[in-house]
Amino acid sequence: MDMLMFELNKNITKPLYEQLYTGIKTAIMCKQLEVGTKLPSKKKLADFLNISQTTIEVAYAQLIAEGFIVSKPRIGFFVEDINELPYIETEQAELPVEEAEEKSFRFDFHPGKIDTDSFPFSQWRRYAKDLYDLPSKNLLQVGEPQGEYTLRTEIAKYLYQSRGIVCKPKQIVIGSGTEQLLPMILRLLKSDSKFALENPGYSAIPRTQLQNKAIPIPVDEDGLIVDELEKTNANVVYITPSHQFPTGAVLTATRRTQLLHWAVKAENRYIIEDDYDSEFRYTGKPIPALQGMDQNNKVIYLSTFTKSLMPSLRVAYFVLPSTLLKKYKETFSYYSATVPRFDQHIVARFMRDGYFSKHLNRMRKIYRKKLDKLTHTFKTYYPEVIITGDQAGMHVLISLPLAISEEKLKKIAEENSIAIYPVTDYLLKPIEYKYPTFLLGFGGIPLEKMEEGIHQLMQCWGIAKNKL
C-alpha cells in the first residue's frame, strides 16, 4: 500500500492514533484499500511515519474491534469485507445538533407559573443532602407501586387538616402528574363509561383517551350546571369544584349536594374531583373538598403539588373510594411508582417537619399581594376591563371591550414579547363570549413588575391609559 496517504499532523490536538485510525478507515470505506489488502506491519509503519509502535497498535486495535481489518497470527493485518456499514464516524459525517427553540417573553401570564424567587431552597437542599447518602441506600431499590408509605401518610394527614378528607394511606396512589394518573383512574371504571367534562375546562383532559367522547357541561358563576349534567347519559363527571378552571367559579353548596345526589342514583356513577390549586383562596374560609362530603364512596379525589411546591417536581396523587381498592390492586399489581423514591421522601420530610405548611402560608400572602396589585392596577387605570375569578387560585379572567378576535390580540401581545392565553383554548364546545376573554396568571410575575406588565399589555392592545 502507499503509506504516504497517512500523513499525520503533529501540531493539532487530535491524537496521532486517532488520525491514523480515521485515515485508514476512510480509505477502506472509499475503496482506496481493497478487501484483502495487507497493511504494513506495526514496525514498518511506525518507522515510515516516525511515530511509536504503540500508536500504531492502538489504531489497529480500534479498526479490528470495529471490523474494518482482521489480524492473522504471524501473517499480518488485512482489510476485511465490509458489505454494509451501520454508520460512518468521520468528521464530515457528523450531523448537526439542533438546539430546542424556547420562546422567551418579557412578561408571561401563564396560569401555571409560580413565584420561583420565594421557594425555600435552603430547607429543600438540606433534606436532599441528608437523603443522598449511604444510610438511604435502600431507596436505590424499587419502591411500593402506590408510592412511598411515608409520603402517603403525610398526604393523608394534610388532607384531613386542610381539606376535611378522611382517608387512609392505602387509599392514596402517587404518580408523576395528573396526565399519568388520570388514565389509571379511567381503567378502574367501566369501559363503556360516558364521561362529562366542564366547558370550559382543564385543557389536558382532551389529550387523554376521553378525546372525542366527552360530553361538555356548561359552567356559570356558581360552577358546573348540574341540571345540564342530569339531562345526559354520563355516568362519570370530571370537575374542579373548589376553583373551577379556568373561570374561577366555586361550586355552591346547593350544587354540591345536587351533584352527590346525582352520583348516588346509579351504581356505576362517579365524580372525579380535581382539587389542583385549593391551597390558595383569598376571600372567606377555605372551601371543603367535595370528597369530604361524600358518604357513599362516589368521589375520586385528585390533586398535585404543582402549584403548592413546583411544577417540575411531577408529584400528584389520587384518593380512591374504599370500594375501588380491590380492583386497583388487581389491575395495577404489576405497576411501579413513577416518581423517584428520593423525591418522595424529600416531600414527606418537608411536610412532616412543618415546612410545607409554613411555605403555603407564606405563598398565600405573596400571591394575595400580587392579586391585589393586579386588581388595583386595572381598577385604577383600566376600569373598563372586566375581572372575574379572583377569589382563589393564581389567575383571573379579564374581558376586554374590544371588537377584535382573541387570536389577533394574542398575536399582537406575542409581537410585543408578552404571553397571554385565550379562554377559548380551554373549550370542548364553542361558546360565544360577549368580549375577548383571557386567562391572566399572576404567579410567575414579580410583584414589582406586575403594574408594568399590565401597562405593557394594555398599551400594545391600544387600550388608553386613564389619567389620575
Side-chain angles (χ1 to χ4, degrees), residues 171-186:
Q171 293 174 254
I172 298 173
V173 178
I174 296 169
S176 57
T178 303
E179 295 86 348
Q180 188 265 330
L181 290 177
L182 185 61
M184 295 177 69
I185 294 173
L186 300 186

Side-chain angles (χ1 to χ4, degrees), residues 171-461:
Q171 293 174 254
I172 298 173
V173 178
I174 296 169
S176 57
T178 303
E179 295 86 348
Q180 188 265 330
L181 290 177
L182 185 61
M184 295 177 69
I185 294 173
L186 300 186
R187 281 190 62 186
L188 295 176
L189 307 176
K190 290 190 175 181
S191 57
D192 60 349
S193 293
K194 307 294 183 184
F195 294 87
L197 303 177
E198 298 166 316
N199 187 44
Y202 180 44
S203 62
I205 301 303
R207 294 195 290 271
T208 71
Q209 57 188 280
L210 296 184
Q211 191 172 14
N212 301 323
K213 298 180 182 177
I215 302 168
I217 307 298
V219 173
D220 62 14
E221 64 274 8
D222 293 328
L224 181 122
I225 303 175
V226 185
D227 287 341
E228 295 298 320
L229 172 66
E230 292 175 334
K231 296 176 185 178
T232 72
N233 63 346
N235 64 292
V236 179
V237 60
Y238 188 104
I239 184 172
T240 50
S242 298
H243 182 231
Q244 201 280 327
F245 186 90
T247 67
V250 176
L251 194 68
T252 61
T254 300
R255 288 193 183 174
R256 286 168 181 255
T257 303
Q258 186 184 1
L259 185 60
L260 290 170
H261 285 163
W262 167 86
V264 173
K265 290 177 183 177
E267 183 181 353
N268 66 335
R269 286 185 179 178
Y270 286 96
I271 301 164
I272 301 175
E273 176 183 15
D274 189 341
D275 209 25
Y276 73 102
D277 69 351
S278 60
E279 295 89 356
F280 304 111
R281 181 167 175 77
Y282 311 112
T283 57
K285 295 181 179 180
I287 306 297
L290 190 63
Q291 198 270 4
M293 301 172 60
D294 178 27
Q295 302 296 316
N296 298 283
N297 291 306
K298 290 293 185 178
V299 178
I300 301 169
Y301 180 88
L302 179 66
S303 192
T304 174
F305 289 98
T306 295
K307 297 287 184 70
S308 56
L309 284 175
M310 54 182 133
S312 64
L313 185 63
R314 304 306 298 156
V315 177
Y317 56 91
F318 60 72
V319 180
L320 284 176
S322 56
T323 50
L324 289 176
L325 281 178
K326 182 180 178 183
K327 186 170 183 182
Y328 171 82
K329 295 287 187 183
E330 293 171 349
T331 306
F332 297 107
S333 60
Y334 60 92
Y335 265 46
S336 297
T338 55
V339 179
R341 297 183 71 191
F342 284 96
D343 289 349
Q344 294 186 56
H345 280 270
I346 292 173
V347 177
R349 294 187 183 191
F350 195 73
M351 298 178 77
R352 178 199 65 192
D353 294 346
Y355 285 111
F356 184 59
S357 296
K358 291 178 183 177
H359 177 62
L360 286 180
N361 289 334
R362 182 169 179 241
M363 297 314 298
R364 285 190 194 101
K365 294 175 182 177
I366 290 173
Y367 291 137
R368 178 59 190 263
K369 287 181 180 179
K370 291 187 177 187
L371 176 61
D372 288 346
K373 174 67 74 172
L374 182 150
T375 53
H376 175 77
T377 302
F378 274 109
K379 289 177 181 178
T380 303
Y381 298 100
Y382 313 101
E384 65 272 37
V385 175
I386 303 168
I387 302 175
T388 55
D390 56 348
Q391 298 179 20
M394 291 156 63
H395 76 271
V396 298
L397 288 186
I398 59 169
S399 298
L400 311 162
L402 298 173
I404 187 171
S405 71
E406 290 174 336
E407 194 58 39
K408 183 146 188 199
L409 288 170
K410 178 182 178 181
K411 185 177 179 182
I412 293 171
E414 286 182 349
E415 290 170 351
N416 286 270
S417 193
I418 301 174
I420 190 76
Y421 304 88
V423 71
T424 48
D425 287 351
Y426 304 91
L427 295 180
L428 297 176
K429 182 181 179 181
I431 295 176
E432 289 293 330
Y433 287 91
K434 184 177 180 181
Y435 299 121
T437 302
F438 292 85
L439 281 74
L440 199 72
F442 53 83
I445 306 293
L447 179 63
E448 64 276 12
K449 295 284 187 180
M450 185 68 66
E451 185 171 330
E452 178 189 352
I454 293 171
H455 286 324
Q456 292 285 336
L457 178 63
M458 294 296 107
Q459 287 171 13
C460 81
W461 281 344

